[in-house]
Each structure stands twice: as structure tokens, then as C-alpha cells.
Amino acid sequence: MRKIPNHGTLRMTKVAYPLGLCLGLFIYVVYIKWHRASATQAFFTVAGAASGARWGQQARSSLGSTTRGHEVFYGIMFDAGSTGTRVHVFQFSQPPGETPTLTHETFKALKPGLSAYADDVEKSAQGIQELLDVAKQEIPFDFWKVTPLVLKATAGLRLLPGEKAQKLLQKVKEVFKASPFLVGDDCVSIMNGTDEGVSAWITVNFLTGSLKTPGRSSVGMLDLGGGSTQITFLPQVEGTLQASPPGHLTALQMFNRTYKLYSHSYLGLGLMSARLAILGGVEGKPVKDGKDLVSPCLSPGFKGEWEHAEITYRISGQKAGSLHELCASRVSEVLQNKVHRTEEVEHVDFYAFSYYYDLAASVGLIDAEKGGSLVVGDFEIAAKYVCRTLETQPHSSPFVCMDLTYITLLLQEFGFPRDKVLKLTRKIDNVETSWALGAIFHYIDSLNREKSPAL
């Protein structure tokens, strides 16, 4: 329950006071007025604290947001992915002098992705408004005008022609500007691939407690989306830093600390884009004369259709030899010289998300609801079994042999040995492990540093 200050009634009486007392009262009043004015200038303040950093404090005078001594605040992040648009509504609580904690998350997703409206921009507004209504229902009215609203688009829009992508973003911005939430000029943007990886790293390390406890070992992050894939971790070996190619290292400021991360996003190596490349297709280009895309990763005699990025492809399998061996050879061609390998990943604990999780669950390597741990070699074992089965009988998913083989070889290209343990989960402490939480943290922290550069 929010506390509402009772200011009472101001009564003035003509009384004579000693000069020293008057001077003391004057200084006290000036201090209070200065302090309140400073508190209302910024949405968040950052200051050192015993636990590392005090972050996320809102001005009580504008919100009345103190609950049992804790500051309560919200953030809204839209994830415009290649296959759907999702809204995350986060509620935070910050005890005095401590880092914030996430107390609640509301999540809702709509299909298709924003990029599906590239040729009919007006239709995109309906879904955005529907997700905004979810935020209105979850956030108390008094908090609307101070709750930041942000949309980050990922690979789906990065793969669109620039003009089409910008028209979509402009339409979303119009809808956002008409909303009652806090909307900045940069509220809508296409997310840099590296930022996507870094934001996911922030999320998982925040939820596992690594960011709250200085000196605690951090964990690495693997994300496999539809259009791109990311790897991010905090190197501890100097050789990793020295051997990293240009663009693979990035500095992150968070909770008054600076992290030098290894992070890279591979556009075109997300699972759906990789499927197209393995089939021999080209992103955004229909096949001439309606010919089939033929692949050794599909079961012999298979014929069907597959839609990707609003284009429908006719696909078919080949009749020849071992399905797994032929598929692995084709996948290796697609991945050749495209992924940088680092030896240090063998010694870092990693969480893997998105299609890593979905594929592992679909073939029984982990529990579909709870997730679990596996070793990299489990993907290869599953791939060999499924591919062998497809040689003689159909499967509910014609791509399962291809997808498992691709994940197996992608992880090996990153440098993961077959006995490397990976943790696969959708949630940590009942919070979605997407990049959205990290992105809203980073966004708000950046706003604060702009307003308070001295901190």
C-alpha cells in the first residue's frame, strides 16, 4: 500500500525568536528545498552504497512510491523479434542503500513479428496498442507518466530494407507518443546485435546474483534467435582479450562498475536464417521459377513448403547415404569461417536460451517446463538418432535433423567441447531470461548518467 503524505494545514503566528534560531531554521529550510529540487530532477539516481551501488531511486514527491521504506518503480520493454512482438512489464523494489530487486514481471506475446507488416505499416499499430493495454492494466495510474516505455527490434527488422524498417518504427513511435507513459526520443530503435547479447548477459547475471555481489563469478550467455545468434561472457584470461577480433569486445557500465565483455552477434546464423542457408536459399529472395530447395538434411522423398520472412519456399529431401553425415557436411559448409572460436568458454559457466531450449525440450533432452542441464554432446547424440530415424520414417518436424545438427556444429565452432555442461532455462526465479530485463536496466542507467554525469 502506498503512503500518501498528509501535509496538514499551515498556520502562521507572529512570534519573536532569537537570531541564532532564526538563522538555523533558515539554513534548514534552504537545505530541504534544495534536496527536494535535486530529487525531482532525475528519474533515477546513482550513488555508492555498502553493497556496491544504489540505483533506481525515484522522487517520492512526484510518485508517493514508498512502500515499507522501499522505493517502487516500473519499466516497460517491448521485444520486437523476428517471429513475434512481446511486452515485458517489470516492477522493481529498492531497499534504502541497496541495489534494486525485481518483484514482479508481466509478459505477453503476439504473433507475427513486427517485420511481417513491412508492406502494411498501419496494421502494426493494433498489436502494439493491445500490448500497451496490458501495461496499463498492470501499472497503477500514478506511475504511468514516470514509467519508461521502450521498444527494441532485433534481427527481424535488421534484415529488412532500411526504409521499410524505419516506417515501421515511426508508426510504433506514434502509438507510443499517444500513450500516457514516459517516452523519450530514442524510445524505439533497432537493437544492435552486440547490445542484444550484452542485455541478455545483464539479465542472467542480475537474476543469478552475480551483479549484486562484487567478486562473485559471472556466467556466460548463449542465445539462438530466428535471425541471429549471440555469445557473451566476461573474460578472465588476458589471451582472450588479445586474440579477440575487432568488434568482439565491449565495455559495460553497470551499478557503478565497468565490465569488459566478450560479446558478438552473428546476423544470419539464427536458426531460421540458418535453415534457409542450409537449404541453399538467399535471404529475402524467392526462388526463380518456383523450383524446390533441395537439402540432404531433409528425409529422402520429403516434399513440402516452408515460409520464412513472408516468402514461401518449396523444399524437398535427397536420396543418398547417411542423412546425418550428409547434413553435417552441408552445415559445416554454411558455418565455415563465420564463427570466432575462444578457448576460454570451456572454463566459464554458460546459460543457453531460446531455440537451444526449444530444440532440447522437443527431443526430450530437458524438461519442457522446468528446463535442465545437458552436455554439448547430447545435441550430437540426439541429432544422429533423429537423422537415422528420418531415413526410414517421417517425423512431425521435417527440420529436426537439420536443426539439431546445426546447433551441434555451431556450439563446437564457438569452442565448446562435447563434455561442456550448459544450463538451459526459460526462467530464473520465475522471471523470463530474455534480454528485455537487462535492456531496461541499461536504458534507465544510461538516462541517469546523462542527467548526473558527475556520479
Side-chain angles (χ1 to χ4, degrees):
M1 181 175 179
R2 294 184 295 110
K3 294 181 180 178
I4 301 175
N6 180 8
H7 297 292
T9 304
L10 179 64
R11 297 179 181 271
M12 298 187 68
T13 307
K14 189 175 181 180
V15 181
Y17 293 102
L19 179 61
L21 178 59
C22 290
L23 181 61
L25 286 171
F26 174 78
I27 293 172
Y28 177 75
V29 169
V30 169
Y31 169 77
I32 291 298
K33 287 181 175 292
W34 172 84
H35 181 73
R36 288 181 176 175
S38 298
T40 56
Q41 284 176 357
F43 181 59
F44 289 91
T45 64
V46 179
S51 63
R54 182 180 184 182
W55 179 90
Q57 184 176 356
Q58 289 178 305
R60 295 184 189 181
S61 59
S62 62
L63 289 181
S65 58
T66 304
T67 304
R68 295 180 182 178
H70 293 203
E71 298 294 339
V72 177
F73 54 95
Y74 295 82
I76 308 166
M77 178 60 70
F78 275 67
D79 168 5
S82 57
T83 58
T85 301
R86 306 114 192 162
V87 66
H88 298 258
V89 182
F90 299 110
Q91 181 189 47
F92 301 99
S93 175
Q94 183 183 12
E98 298 182 19
T99 54
T101 58
L102 181 65
T103 52
H104 184 71
E105 179 202 19
T106 299
F107 170 81
K108 184 174 181 178
L110 293 178
K111 293 185 177 182
L114 196 59
S115 55
Y117 301 102
D119 295 319
D120 195 350
V121 173
E122 293 300 321
K123 280 189 177 180
S124 66
Q126 182 178 349
I128 297 297
Q129 187 60 57
E130 183 177 338
L131 295 178
L132 274 175
D133 290 341
V134 172
K136 286 182 179 180
Q137 293 169 8
E138 292 297 320
I139 300 174
F141 173 80
D142 289 351
F143 289 80
W144 286 0
K145 67 179 181 180
V146 290
T147 296
L149 171 62
V150 184
L151 178 141
K152 300 283 188 183
T154 56
L157 261 68
R158 289 202 294 268
L159 291 169
L160 280 180
E163 185 178 347
K164 288 187 175 183
Q166 289 306 314
K167 286 182 178 179
L168 279 169
L169 294 180
Q170 184 58 39
K171 172 51 65 174
V172 173
K173 193 170 184 177
E174 289 175 9
V175 178
F176 276 15
K177 288 286 188 181
S179 80
F181 299 110
L182 181 64
V183 177
D185 291 336
D186 59 347
C187 64
V188 176
S189 63
I190 297 176
M191 199 176 198
N192 176 284
T194 298
D195 288 344
E196 186 176 347
V198 169
S199 294
W201 183 88
I202 295 172
T203 296
V204 70
N205 281 280
F206 175 79
L207 294 176
T208 57
S210 298
L211 289 179
K212 295 183 179 181
T213 309
R216 180 172 174 176
S217 296
S218 63
V219 297
M221 183 286 307
L222 290 166
D223 197 358
L224 181 62
S228 62
T229 186
Q230 292 81 33
I231 177 172
T232 304
F233 67 97
L234 180 64
Q236 300 294 328
V237 178
E238 185 63 28
T240 301
L241 300 175
Q242 294 177 354
S244 297
H248 284 61
L249 298 176
T250 185
L252 167 69
Q253 287 183 300
M254 204 74 205
F255 295 152
N256 276 358
R257 295 195 291 274
T258 299
Y259 302 88
K260 195 168 187 178
L261 299 176
Y262 175 100
S263 184
H264 194 69
S265 177
Y266 295 89
L267 185 61
L269 294 187
L271 190 64
M272 298 300 113
S273 293
R275 278 185 186 177
L276 182 60
I278 293 167
L279 288 165
V282 178
E283 200 76 54
K285 294 184 179 180
V287 179
K288 292 181 179 180
D289 303 323
K291 293 182 179 180
D292 286 11
L293 294 176
V294 182
S295 173
C297 294
L298 299 173
S299 58
F302 172 82
K303 287 187 175 295
E305 292 185 341
W306 175 59
E307 184 176 317
H308 170 67
E310 300 301 298
I311 297 175
T312 300
Y313 300 92
R314 291 172 52 186
I315 58 176
S316 60
Q318 290 178 328
K319 294 181 180 179
S322 166
L323 191 61
H324 179 260
E325 289 181 4
L326 291 169
C327 185
S329 178
R330 173 59 185 154
V331 171
S332 294
E333 291 175 6
V334 170
L335 287 173
Q336 188 174 13
N337 299 323
K338 290 185 178 178
V339 177
H340 179 251
R341 181 178 300 222
T342 54
E343 294 181 4
E344 191 177 347
V345 298
E346 183 178 352
H347 308 291
V348 178
D349 290 335
F350 269 84
Y351 279 75
F353 309 118
S354 304
Y355 281 117
Y356 289 116
Y357 186 105
D358 295 341
L359 262 293
S362 71
V363 295
L365 293 177
I366 58 171
D367 185 275
E369 294 298 322
K370 299 178 181 178
S373 296
L374 48 70
V375 296
V376 170
D378 289 338
F379 280 115
E380 185 175 25
I381 293 171
K384 288 180 177 179
Y385 174 79
V386 170
C387 293
R388 186 168 60 250
T389 302
L390 281 178
E391 291 175 6
T392 57
Q393 62 187 59
H395 190 278
S396 58
S397 171
F399 292 105
V400 67
C401 170
M402 179 190 297
D403 293 346
L404 287 168
T405 302
Y406 176 70
I407 285 178
T408 299
L409 294 177
L410 176 64
L411 290 171
Q412 291 176 11
E413 286 296 306
F414 279 138
F416 292 100
R418 286 177 170 80
D419 61 352
K420 175 65 180 177
V421 176
L422 300 178
K423 297 176 183 179
L424 279 68
T425 182
R426 282 197 179 122
K427 294 184 176 183
I428 298 174
D429 290 338
N430 207 35
V431 178
E432 291 285 335
T433 52
S434 78
W435 53 259
L437 174 59
I440 199 69
F441 265 137
H442 203 192
Y443 182 84
I444 294 171
D445 189 47
S446 297
L447 282 180
N448 180 75
R449 281 186 274 110
E450 289 175 5
K451 293 179 180 179
S452 306
L455 291 175

